[in-house]
Amino acid sequence: MLNWDKGKDEKAISSANYIQDMGKEMDMICEMLSEETKYFDTKKFFDKIHEYIVKNDRLIYTHITNYIFVLSDEEFGVLQTNIDSVVNYMYGDQYNQDYSKLLEDRNEKRSLERTQRTVLKMWDHVNLARRQYVMFHHKDEDYSKIVDEKMEIAGAKISKEMNVQLISLVAIFTALSFLVFGGISSLDNIFAGAKDIPILKLVVVGSIWGFCIMNMLFVFMFFIAKIAKLNLSSTDDVNASILKKYPLVCWCNFVVVSIFILSSWAVYISGEELSVRLYDLIYKNQTGFFVAGTFAIIVVIVFAAKKIYDNIKN
């Protein structure tokens, strides 16, 4: 029975054997480079490379890399010293003397130059493989050292941020407690004399107190936000007006100021004894005065509210 794949099998086996032989020769070349420097013969090594490259045409870098990766620092130092000496030998006077006859032949000279380039490639790959080994090969101690250094830096940064935040929180609650309890104490003093103060005047004083306390709280929170690098604004637009940035505070101030104006007007009328005359006038025209007064107050409040809303919106 004929074997149709016989030729292919022989060719595959032949290729495999050829690559294996190249690998064995590369291992021998690497072992030559690992010889002690005082016994290392640069010319002998160059002849070996020349013989190899003429026969096999190229280097097998995988074998070089695998060989470099298993060397200790001391063994690699010997290998690097030896290959450096080969490179120096190739471009020295001794090389020209040893190969003077071959250099006279054009073909031989070209073959030697090719060997020189091969040695340079091997020198470059040896250093590259060692560099890769140093960069990517870390022991557990190396990783522990790296992690410890990173954690120390991160821990210092976190500790600093926590200290800043802790100081900010303590400052906020301390100042807030003084402000709130001081405000409550002052309000208590206001209401303590409520029996001797007319209700309208009490409303006026209370409005002033509310306006001051509310704005003091806002200013306090504003500066605390600056220290803590927080944003109290309702918009990110730096060119926006105060009404648009802090609408809640503006509306609260609007309400308190409105109460203050109305109560102050009522106190003025009462103090000028206009209330008696006004009372007689109102008594005679109760319905009309009520409608007109209510309408006027609503118009003023709505107009002011619309102005604030339009400013915030636009």
Side-chain angles (χ1 to χ4, degrees), residues 209-221 249 253:
W209 175 89
F211 180 83
C212 294
I213 292 296
M214 183 173 57
N215 285 280
M216 285 176 64
L217 283 172
F218 170 71
V219 172
F220 168 74
M221 295 301 297
V249 177
N253 282 328

Side-chain angles (χ1 to χ4, degrees), residues 153 228 235:
I153 296 173
T235 178

Side-chain angles (χ1 to χ4, degrees), residues 79-287:
L79 184 143
Q80 190 175 35
T81 301
N82 291 338
I83 196 170
D84 287 343
S85 64
V86 176
V87 173
N88 294 330
Y89 167 76
M90 291 189 310
Y91 297 100
D93 296 333
Q94 187 63 41
Y95 171 81
N96 294 326
Q97 294 177 7
D98 293 340
Y99 296 97
S100 57
K101 294 182 179 180
L102 295 177
L103 291 173
E104 293 176 357
D105 185 87
R106 184 176 181 180
N107 293 329
E108 290 294 337
K109 181 180 179 180
R110 187 177 299 171
S111 178
L112 290 173
E113 289 175 350
R114 182 183 177 193
T115 304
Q116 287 178 320
R117 291 193 297 271
T118 302
V119 173
L120 286 177
K121 290 179 181 179
M122 187 174 182
W123 175 88
D124 183 50
H125 187 76
V126 164
N127 288 280
L128 176 62
R130 189 61 182 181
R131 179 63 178 171
Q132 291 173 338
Y133 176 81
V134 172
M135 288 182 64
F136 298 109
H137 181 74
H138 293 286
K139 299 179 180 179
D140 293 339
E141 295 81 5
D142 298 329
Y143 287 111
S144 299
K145 184 178 179 181
I146 294 172
V147 171
D148 291 340
E149 291 177 354
K150 297 295 184 182
M151 288 298 295
E152 184 177 358
I153 296 173
K157 184 178 180 181
I158 293 173
S159 178
K160 183 179 179 181
E161 292 178 353
M162 289 181 63
N163 290 333
V164 172
Q165 293 178 0
L166 182 61
I167 293 172
S168 300
L169 287 174
V170 172
I172 289 171
F173 284 108
T174 301
L176 190 61
S177 61
F178 278 108
L179 187 60
V180 172
F181 287 109
I184 294 174
S185 177
S186 61
L187 184 63
D188 181 65
N189 293 331
I190 293 173
F191 282 103
K195 296 180 180 180
D196 302 327
I197 301 175
I199 188 63
L200 290 176
K201 292 183 179 180
L202 190 63
V203 172
V204 172
V205 175
S207 300
I208 296 173
W209 175 89
F211 180 83
C212 294
I213 292 296
M214 183 173 57
N215 285 280
M216 285 176 64
L217 283 172
F218 170 71
V219 172
F220 168 74
M221 295 301 297
F222 177 81
F223 284 109
I224 291 298
K226 289 294 184 182
I227 295 174
K229 296 181 179 179
L230 300 175
N231 188 15
L232 295 178
S233 177
S234 299
T235 178
D236 295 330
D237 186 6
V238 295
N239 297 320
S241 62
I242 296 178
L243 293 176
K244 190 172 183 180
K245 288 183 178 179
Y246 312 107
L248 180 61
V249 177
C250 294
W251 279 110
C252 292
N253 282 328
F254 172 74
V255 172
V256 173
V257 170
S258 299
I259 294 173
F260 172 76
I261 292 173
L262 292 174
S263 58
S264 298
W265 173 246
V267 171
Y268 173 76
I269 291 176
S270 178
E272 293 296 328
E273 295 184 353
L274 296 175
S275 56
V276 177
R277 302 175 188 174
L278 186 62
Y279 178 77
D280 292 336
L281 181 63
I282 294 173
Y283 184 76
K284 294 177 181 179
N285 303 282
Q286 294 183 14
T287 304

